[in-house]
């Protein structure tokens, strides 16, 4: 399904970084297939605003399995009243794997939003951090930034579809934006998550659609 890009639409490109590509520290399935189409979309300047999120963790981040002796990547650990998935060390600040992918033209991006910088709090969504020790999810300021610019529609693409893309889309919808998740311009950690992602989108009123092709 294709949908028209409104005049008040913003595109959020989530975590298109080398560490999430095949061969990277935390690879997403077929993640490198997004580089060319997203580069073309950004060069076409079809969105009123474009935001790029960037995972940007300090060394020893609490979400890293290496920060918890005896724990392995992808185990779950009780933290802050929930379960924290432990990840391989990835997107460590100022490392090549944390850079926005160099094969994409980022010159048309209005805002680069770095997330996951707090050493004790994970951060999947571009709108709010994960739950902290006080049970709160701290806002990043993105919702206000978009409203100040008259944005009504938010399109979300990038990596990983079942984690940071989905959380960003859910928070966009919760903040009152009409929200589209581009299936073709996103990839999961593993395809086995796709059915659950579709169900979550339906539950939250997130539209799965692709940007309508330019005339």
């Amino acid at each position: 399904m294709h949908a028209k890009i409104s005049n008040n639409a913003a595109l959020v490109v989530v975590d298109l970084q080398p560490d999430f590509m095949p061969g990277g520290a935390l690879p997403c399935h077929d993640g490198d297939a997004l580089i060319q189409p997203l580069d073309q979309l950004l060069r076409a300047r079809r969105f009123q605003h474009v935001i790029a999120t960037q995972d940007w963790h300090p060394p020893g981040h609490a979400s890293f399995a290496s920060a918890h002796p005896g724990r392995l990547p992808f185990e779950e650990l009780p933290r802050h009243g929930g379960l924290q998935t432990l990840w391989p060390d990835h997107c460590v600040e100022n490392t090549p794997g944390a850079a926005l992918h160099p094969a994409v033209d980022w010159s048309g991006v209005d805002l680069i939003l770095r997330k996951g910088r707090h050493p004790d709090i994970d951060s999947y969504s571009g709108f709010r951090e994960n739950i902290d020790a006080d049970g709160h999810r701290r806002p990043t300021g993105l919702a206000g930034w978009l409203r100040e610019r008259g944005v009504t529609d938010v399109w979300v693409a990038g990596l990983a579809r079942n984690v940071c893309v989905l959380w960003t889309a859910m928070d966009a919808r919760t903040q009152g934006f009409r929200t589209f998740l581009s299936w073709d311009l996103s990839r999961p950690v593993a395809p086995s998550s796709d059915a659950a992602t579709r169900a979550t989108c339906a539950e939250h009123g997130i539209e799965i659609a692709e940007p309508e092709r330019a005339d």
Side-chain angles (χ1 to χ4, degrees):
M1 171 185 163
H2 286 79
K4 184 177 180 180
I5 301 171
S6 78
N7 293 330
N8 300 312
L11 172 66
V12 182
V13 180
V14 177
D15 300 355
L16 202 68
Q17 298 166 259
D19 267 354
F20 294 122
M21 301 290 160
L26 182 50
C28 295
H29 174 76
D30 205 24
D32 51 353
L34 301 182
I35 296 170
Q36 183 178 4
L38 278 172
D39 179 58
Q40 291 174 344
L41 183 60
L42 295 184
R43 289 176 185 272
R45 303 289 202 270
R46 297 180 57 209
F47 284 86
Q48 190 73 16
H49 297 287
V50 178
I51 299 91
T53 73
Q54 186 176 17
D55 243 18
W56 195 256
H57 299 304
H61 192 268
S63 70
F64 295 166
S66 63
H68 305 273
R71 297 284 185 166
L72 297 174
F74 306 108
E75 288 187 13
E76 291 185 328
L77 180 71
R79 292 193 82 245
H80 302 334
L83 288 176
Q84 169 70 57
T85 299
L86 299 179
W87 306 106
D89 290 25
H90 66 282
C91 295
V92 175
E93 58 190 12
N94 298 311
T95 63
L100 294 177
H101 201 285
V104 174
D105 179 2
W106 299 102
S107 61
V109 169
D110 300 285
L111 176 68
I112 297 172
L113 192 154
R114 287 176 170 170
K115 58 188 182 66
R117 301 179 72 180
H118 191 291
D120 194 49
I121 306 171
D122 212 352
S123 189
Y124 297 160
S125 169
F127 287 89
R128 294 189 297 168
E129 294 178 341
N130 292 13
I131 295 174
D132 63 18
D134 296 322
H136 300 134
R137 292 187 63 204
R138 304 176 186 183
T140 64
L142 178 57
W145 189 94
L146 293 170
R147 289 193 188 100
E148 287 175 359
R149 288 156 180 80
V151 171
T152 58
D153 297 1
V154 172
W155 291 74
V156 189
L159 302 169
R161 180 193 290 149
N162 59 311
V163 187
C164 295
V165 169
L166 183 60
W167 280 54
T168 297
M170 287 192 293
D171 280 344
R173 190 71 190 99
T174 299
Q175 291 294 324
F177 298 101
R178 185 181 182 186
T179 305
F180 301 87
L181 189 154
S182 172
W183 202 263
D184 290 351
L185 296 177
S186 61
R187 292 293 187 276
V189 175
S192 58
S193 64
D194 285 352
T197 298
R198 288 186 180 275
T200 300
C201 286
E203 178 184 351
H204 288 265
I206 299 164
E207 301 175 54
I208 296 176
E210 308 308 323
E212 191 175 68
R213 296 178 179 87
D215 294 335

